[in-house]
Amino acid sequence: MYENIVSFIQDTFQTKEFIPLHEPKFSGNEKLYLNECIDSTFVSSVGVFVDRVEEAIASYVGVKYAIAMSNGTSALHIALLLADVTKNDEVITQALTFVATPNAISYCNAQPIFLDVDLDTMSLSPNALDSFLQKNCKVQNNSCINKTTNKTIKAAVVMHTFGHSARVDELKTICDKWNIELIEDAAESLGSFYKKKHTGTFAKLGIFSFNGNKIITSGGGGVLVTDDVLLAKRAKHLSTTAKIAHPYEYEHDEIGYNYRMPNLNAALLLAQIEQLNNFRNSKRLLSKLYSKFFSQIDDIVYIQELKNSESNYWLQALLLPSKEKRDEFLSFMNQRGIMCRPIWKLISTLDMYKHAQCDSLENSFYLQDRIVNIPSSVR
Ligand SMILES: *Cc1c(COP(=O)(O)O)cnc(C)c1O
């Protein structure tokens, strides 16, 4: 019954072989820069490619500073530390996200609170945030106190799901009113803009990931972005073992982390950054093809970008009418070599997070049962 969908995807990717969900593409200067990097012997955490990558990302997204790190999760961990998230603090985030988001909160020994997402953005809902805060919280001595636990809510992390922007300006306004630091987990949304501004740059702190499955990759890597010079300096300090610069002495002034991106990975990444706009255009074209095709198919909704936004369409997504139909679809497509996956299970249902405070999560449960991703690689 989904036979026509199989044919359409095979035609679109011009193959009858297995079609992966998302594969990286190395069609530029990757080998050139990698050879240059190896010949220089600077393959580790210091080198010109790291500097060039930091400049290129800062300029692409339109911020003053970018600090390259070993992966997106470590960049998010550092962002939370910079927001002064410590033991016994609480951090609000969405239940519908990849597990790295709450894990980074846990690395700070803080507790996550899981709130609902909007149906159209699949990202943290301003309405859910506002009503949770009004119902459960008070501002005291410039801090947001959760009346249920008596703990301080230091930060909120919004994640731009599959590259589609959250209503991040509204979230920022609410967070400012309640003295909560907003952080953007923009791991999936490099190349996505909301109201002409790049995602990850609305909050004081944002992060991107360059894992192998993202729109561009360094093999493994991430970056923290900010306009604040002091936060940028502190991010670099904390992610490089808190070493005080000195020609030969070992001097460290606090417990830091070894979260620096190796120069070798930065060499690969620089070549990928050069192709980012091409990859983005290819994904946006694919989205037009899918959107047109699925508009003729009953019962299946193709997920579009918000008005006022330009998505990178990192992972293409469909909404199926029910969990049963979703399961049928997944099994049918995967059996025919078209790789499709369901969206994540809600984090609040995982063993290690099931005791966390939540709201109703009505939209999150609805989407959890119905959203699938379909092949999304750059063609
Ligand atoms: C990919 C991703 C990350 C970071 O992943 P790393 O593999 O650590 O680079 C964080 N959050 C979300 C939502 C992601 O999709």
Side-chain angles (χ1 to χ4, degrees):
M1 73 213 119
Y2 296 124
E3 212 51 77
N4 56 340
I5 301 179
V6 171
S7 314
F8 178 77
I9 294 178
Q10 285 174 340
D11 290 351
T12 304
F13 286 89
Q14 295 182 11
T15 178
K16 298 226 182 281
E17 308 283 299
F18 173 75
I19 302 176
L21 187 68
H22 197 283
E23 60 185 352
K25 184 168 175 169
F26 303 109
S27 47
N29 288 321
E30 285 86 354
K31 288 181 180 165
L32 184 72
Y33 294 164
L34 281 169
N35 277 328
E36 203 178 313
C37 181
I38 293 166
D39 290 344
S40 78
T41 75
F42 285 91
V43 293
S44 201
S45 54
V46 182
V48 291
F49 287 107
V50 175
D51 300 337
R52 286 172 71 185
V53 153
E54 289 178 340
E55 281 163 27
I57 290 292
S59 130
Y60 186 89
V61 306
V63 293
K64 291 201 184 119
Y65 309 100
I67 297 90
M69 303 220 186
S70 49
N71 55 61
T73 314
S74 54
L76 188 56
H77 181 197
I78 297 290
L80 288 156
L81 293 174
L82 295 181
D84 192 32
V85 173
T86 53
K87 198 168 158 72
N88 288 324
D89 287 334
E90 295 182 332
V91 177
I92 290 173
T93 191
Q94 55 207 64
L96 192 66
T97 183
F98 179 58
V99 73
T101 317
N103 281 352
I105 296 169
S106 302
Y107 300 162
C108 302
N109 295 304
Q111 306 296 320
I113 296 172
F114 297 112
L115 301 186
D116 209 358
V117 295
D118 282 332
L119 279 179
D120 52 359
T121 68
M122 302 175 285
S123 303
L124 187 60
S125 160
N127 289 337
L129 178 64
D130 193 51
S131 54
F132 177 86
L133 291 169
Q134 297 216 29
K135 210 184 313 170
N136 299 287
C137 300
K138 61 180 178 187
V139 175
Q140 198 172 49
N141 301 327
N142 290 324
S143 295
C144 178
I145 307 294
N146 182 347
K147 289 187 278 188
T148 319
T149 59
N150 247 331
K151 291 182 176 176
T152 305
I153 300 178
K154 279 270 176 71
V157 183
V158 54
M159 198 280 282
H160 302 283
T161 301
F162 304 146
H164 297 307
S165 173
R167 292 185 170 81
V168 62
D169 53 345
E170 292 176 39
L171 294 168
K172 181 77 168 68
T173 305
I174 298 167
C175 284
D176 285 349
K177 192 173 121 199
W178 287 85
N179 288 316
I180 293 171
E181 192 68 62
L182 182 68
I183 295 172
E184 290 179 74
D185 179 348
E188 305 181 353
S189 66
L190 184 63
S192 299
F193 294 78
Y194 180 62
K195 298 186 176 170
K196 306 253 190 261
K197 192 171 158 63
H198 201 292
T199 55
T201 69
F202 287 79
K204 211 187 266 182
L205 295 157
I207 71 100
F208 298 93
S209 165
F210 308 114
N211 188 34
N213 64 347
K214 298 302 199 290
I215 185 165
I216 57 170
T217 185
S218 54
V223 69
L224 181 150
V225 296
T226 184
D227 275 323
D228 185 311
V229 62
L230 293 177
L231 291 178
K233 283 192 173 145
R234 199 156 153 65
K236 187 161 281 190
H237 190 61
L238 273 178
S239 60
T240 54
T241 66
K243 185 180 184 298
I244 308 286
H246 190 281
Y248 48 84
E249 292 270 20
Y250 291 105
E251 185 71 41
H252 306 263
D253 62 356
E254 62 184 304
I255 298 177
Y257 298 84
N258 179 13
Y259 280 175
R260 230 13 205 153
M261 176 185 286
N263 203 38
L264 202 56
N265 297 79
L268 185 71
L269 183 58
L270 184 64
Q272 292 266 289
I273 294 172
E274 293 170 351
Q275 300 163 86
L276 175 55
N277 274 332
N278 287 345
F279 290 0
R280 181 179 181 275
N281 290 341
S282 164
K283 283 168 173 295
R284 289 184 60 79
L285 176 62
L286 179 61
S287 114
K288 286 211 173 75
L289 302 176
Y290 273 146
S291 162
K292 186 155 176 257
F293 175 77
F294 284 107
S295 68
Q296 308 150 12
I297 306 239
D298 287 346
D299 284 353
I300 296 186
V301 177
Y302 174 77
I303 305 285
Q304 312 264 8
E305 65 196 0
L306 274 191
K307 279 204 188 82
N308 295 328
S309 81
E310 268 198 27
S311 177
N312 66 1
Y313 283 99
W314 167 59
L315 279 190
Q316 312 277 347
L318 301 177
L319 181 77
L320 279 289
S322 66
K323 189 170 191 294
E324 294 68 40
K325 287 267 165 35
R326 190 237 12 214
D327 291 341
E328 258 172 45
F329 179 90
L330 286 174
S331 131
F332 188 93
M333 301 302 279
N334 283 296
Q335 268 171 32
R336 281 156 188 79
I338 312 273
M339 187 171 173
C340 294
R341 290 181 81 169
I343 199 168
W344 313 282
K345 294 198 166 132
L346 298 194
I347 301 294
S348 53
T349 66
L350 301 181
D351 246 359
M352 59 283 195
Y353 292 115
K354 68 183 176 204
H355 300 296
Q357 193 174 3
C358 300
D359 66 9
S360 79
L361 301 179
E362 193 183 332
N363 294 342
S364 307
F365 277 106
Y366 182 88
L367 294 169
Q368 170 192 246
D369 289 345
R370 290 168 179 80
I371 293 282
V372 297
N373 293 120
I374 55 177
S376 306
S377 302
V378 171
R379 295 173 306 141

